[in-house]
């Protein structure tokens, strides 16, 4: 089988889990995905099959769109609710969420989460963290094209590849004199491929 599959990745599976599931289902080894998603994320995962795997070089660095949600009141080791709680603080509600979102639009020098695959001296940041070593601060130059307030501290962000929604949640909380982390993440667009095109894995 050759082609491009747009999967609505289910909760609890890694991108690699999805690829392994497809390899077993179709009895074919040649599958690859265009970007790693955390197990707790759901949404668009682009999978290439057979000869189409040659397209990976053209699809791995494309613009993205996500729906994310912030939980205020705590910071964690992973900048999301599934990490170890590092600090807690009373929530300050004296700010306009929509206005704070707009402050992120444009080019940003974003601090990468400590739990990430970014490498320093050949070692992933998450490996520094796991080994109890001081995690080097790593920044990425990214661009956010638009931010939309969806209510209940949820938002839609259109951004360049390499943008961490966890970092947006953490930084917005800090900007409003809060602590915060990412509560949920749903990729809704990867390059030209949208959630409307995506199919559930069992389909």
């Amino acid at each position: 089988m050759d082609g491009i599959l747009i999967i609505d990745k289910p909760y609890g599976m890694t991108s690699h889990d999805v690829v392994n599931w497809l390899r077993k289902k179709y009895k074919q080894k040649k599958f690859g995905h265009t970007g790693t998603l955390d197990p707790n994320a759901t949404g668009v995962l682009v999978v290439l099959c057979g000869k189409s795997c040659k397209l990976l070089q053209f699809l791995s660095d494309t613009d993205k769109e996500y729906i994310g949600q912030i939980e205020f009141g705590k910071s964690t080791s992973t900048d999301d609710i599934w990490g170890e709680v590092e600090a807690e603080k009373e929530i300050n509600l004296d700010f306009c969420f929509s206005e704070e979102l707009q402050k992120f639009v444009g080019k940003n020098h974003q601090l990468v989460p400590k739990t990430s695959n970014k490498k320093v001296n050949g070692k992933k940041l998450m490996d520094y963290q796991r080994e109890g070593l001081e995690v080097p601060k790593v920044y990425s130059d990214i661009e956010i094209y638009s931010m939309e307030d969806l209510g209940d501290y949820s938002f839609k962000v259109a951004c360049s590849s390499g943008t961490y929604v966890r970092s947006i949640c953490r930084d917005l909380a800090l900007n409003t004199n809060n602590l915060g982390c990412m509560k949920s993440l749903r990729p809704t667009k990867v390059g030209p491929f949208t959630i409307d095109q995506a199919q559930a894995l069992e389909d």
Side-chain angles (χ1 to χ4, degrees):
M1 183 171 71
D2 305 308
I4 299 175
L5 300 176
I6 316 302
I7 305 293
D8 187 348
K9 190 192 82 63
Y11 183 89
M13 293 182 76
T14 66
S15 303
H16 192 62
D17 289 339
V18 172
V19 167
N20 281 340
W21 190 93
L22 291 167
R23 284 172 177 163
K24 290 176 183 176
K25 178 177 176 63
Y26 292 103
K27 297 178 175 59
Q28 174 177 313
K29 288 186 177 180
K30 211 162 185 183
F31 284 93
H33 62 81
T34 65
T36 302
L37 288 179
D38 293 337
N40 300 312
T42 66
V44 175
L45 178 67
V46 180
V47 178
L48 307 177
C49 353
K51 295 177 181 177
S52 295
C53 287
K54 294 176 182 179
L55 296 173
L56 182 60
Q57 60 182 316
F58 304 110
L59 296 174
S60 59
D61 190 27
T62 55
D63 292 340
K64 311 282 176 64
E65 184 181 272
Y66 300 94
I67 291 176
Q69 187 176 23
I70 302 176
E71 180 167 311
F72 290 102
K74 64 184 180 183
S75 61
T76 71
S77 57
T78 55
D79 293 324
D80 59 34
I81 62 170
W82 300 282
E84 181 181 342
V85 176
E86 295 183 328
E88 294 183 276
K89 184 179 179 181
E90 187 175 345
I91 300 173
N92 166 47
L93 297 176
D94 187 23
F95 66 92
C96 176
F97 187 63
S98 294
E99 290 179 4
E100 293 299 327
L101 288 174
Q102 297 313 310
K103 293 178 182 178
F104 286 86
V105 175
K107 294 184 177 180
N108 288 270
H109 197 51
Q110 187 182 65
L111 177 62
V112 174
K114 290 181 288 186
T115 305
S116 72
N117 289 319
K118 285 283 188 181
K119 289 185 177 181
V120 173
N121 299 324
K123 186 196 290 277
K124 294 177 181 178
L125 294 186
M126 66 172 61
D127 290 335
Y128 282 93
Q129 191 179 46
R130 285 171 181 163
E131 294 169 20
L133 303 173
E134 183 178 352
V135 181
K137 287 189 175 182
V138 177
Y139 290 84
S140 287
D141 290 319
I142 56 105
E143 185 169 1
I144 294 177
Y145 309 120
S146 66
M147 294 282 274
E148 181 183 349
D149 182 1
L150 300 179
D152 197 27
Y153 301 124
S154 295
F155 59 92
K156 180 184 287 186
V157 54
C159 55
S160 62
S161 180
T163 300
Y164 285 90
V165 178
R166 285 180 287 155
S167 292
I168 294 173
C169 295
R170 177 201 64 215
D171 293 344
L172 188 147
L174 291 173
N175 290 350
T176 58
N177 193 27
N178 279 296
L179 294 177
C181 56
M182 187 180 74
K183 186 176 182 180
S184 64
L185 179 68
R186 183 164 175 78
T188 52
K189 188 175 182 181
V190 176
F193 306 110
T194 68
I195 194 67
D196 293 336
Q197 298 170 297
Q199 291 182 298
L201 195 56
E202 57 269 23
D203 295 332

